[in-house]
């Protein structure tokens, strides 16, 4: 009996890296549920601008998620704060020029509104590219910005990496606006 368990354990040990590898997700902590350093915010992600300035708040929401682990909940109630030009949750990923990647995230929104008088904006996936000279270029929209109220929805798009590029900054991004948004299950996979 003991030997049976040993074999089972060995089998699991062999299978687990293969399973992790077959997922192919280049994003670290894409499910936004890992918080080993106990900050109350997901590890490996940087959260700043309107998402991070009080009274606005980012938290891990264990009650609302799509993968069993916490989602990232962001409440923006005020734009009367420093760095009110945008909000972002980002992570830098090494990439190879010439390759194509698909980037996706699940999104849920409650009453996300643009500032009065503004007609375009909202929340999307945005990105920056870093050249082999280490310089970051300007932000670009990867997906159309969204506003309003809706339940979990996946947004995604592909990008082909131009020459002389070594990294991509993936950002769950918001133009100025107020409301509540949940992000979950961020993925970036190579498209062959
Ligand atoms: Ca999650
Ligand atoms: Ca953390």
């Amino acid at each position: 009996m003991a030997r049976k368990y040993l074999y089972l354990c060995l089998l699991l040990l062999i299978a687990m890296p293969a399973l992790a590898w077959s997922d192919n997700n280049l994003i670290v902590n894409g499910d936004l549920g890992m918080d080993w350093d106990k900050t109350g915010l997901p590890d490996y992600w940087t959260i700043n601008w309107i998402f991070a300035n009080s009274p606005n708040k980012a938290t891990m929401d264990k009650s609302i998620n799509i993968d069993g682990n916490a989602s990232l909940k962001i409440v923006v109630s005020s734009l009367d704060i420093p760095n009110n030009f945008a909000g972002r949750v980002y992570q830098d990923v090494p990439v190879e020029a010439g390759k194509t990647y698909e980037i996706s995230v699940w999104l849920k929104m409650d009453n996300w509104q643009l500032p009065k008088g503004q007609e375009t904006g909202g929340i999307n996936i945005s990105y920056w590219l870093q050249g082999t000279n280490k310089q970051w270029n300007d932000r670009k929209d990867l997906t159309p910005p969204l506003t309003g109220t809706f339940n979990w929805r996946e947004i995604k798009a592909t990008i082909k990496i131009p020459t002389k590029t070594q990294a991509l900054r993936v950002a769950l991004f918001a133009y100025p606006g107020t409301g509540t948004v949940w992000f979950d299950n961020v993925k970036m996979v190579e498209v062959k």
Side-chain angles (χ1 to χ4, degrees):
M1 202 65 179
R3 178 164 289 192
K4 226 176 199 172
Y5 278 114
L6 186 68
Y7 283 139
L8 192 66
C9 288
L10 278 172
L11 199 69
L12 279 173
L13 276 174
I14 294 163
M16 269 165 68
L19 285 172
W21 182 82
S22 72
D23 183 37
N24 281 338
N25 192 359
L26 299 169
I27 301 286
V28 184
N29 193 17
D31 93 7
L32 297 158
M34 189 197 300
D35 181 26
W36 284 9
D37 59 3
K38 303 269 189 259
T39 56
L41 291 169
D43 301 345
Y44 299 103
W45 292 95
T46 302
I47 304 171
N48 58 16
W49 303 341
I50 59 173
F51 286 172
N53 283 315
S54 179
N56 306 335
K57 209 172 175 197
T59 53
M60 292 169 77
D61 190 339
K62 290 186 178 123
S63 64
I64 295 178
N65 61 70
I66 55 159
D67 56 20
N69 291 317
S71 67
L72 179 64
K73 179 186 184 184
I74 291 171
V75 180
V76 175
S77 58
S78 174
L79 291 175
D80 189 19
I81 52 162
N83 296 318
N84 63 0
F85 52 87
R88 65 176 181 178
V89 179
Y90 73 88
Q91 182 175 125
D92 296 342
V93 183
V95 289
E96 274 185 55
K99 287 191 171 174
T100 300
Y101 300 87
E102 182 184 79
I103 303 172
S104 59
V105 63
W106 284 79
L107 202 65
K108 175 182 161 79
M109 254 189 231
D110 186 19
N111 197 25
W112 193 271
Q113 295 185 331
L114 302 179
K116 265 215 170 85
Q118 199 166 310
E119 283 173 16
T120 57
I123 291 179
N124 74 353
I125 303 173
S126 286
Y127 67 95
W128 286 254
L129 295 174
Q130 186 188 43
T132 44
N133 60 359
K134 309 258 175 171
Q135 298 295 311
W136 287 97
N137 71 1
D138 292 339
R139 183 195 64 83
K140 289 200 173 77
D141 293 315
L142 186 71
T143 62
L146 299 169
T147 56
T149 301
F150 53 82
N151 208 345
W152 289 111
R153 174 192 299 187
E154 187 180 31
I155 57 171
K156 61 179 164 185
T158 57
I159 176 174
K160 186 172 181 189
I161 306 300
T163 54
K164 296 185 180 169
T165 303
Q166 64 176 24
L168 184 147
R169 174 166 293 171
V170 179
L172 314 173
F173 181 86
Y175 291 84
T178 55
T180 304
V181 58
W182 291 262
F183 297 106
D184 209 350
N185 227 350
V186 193
K187 281 189 180 163
M188 177 167 161
V189 293
E190 191 189 333
V191 179
K192 306 229 174 162

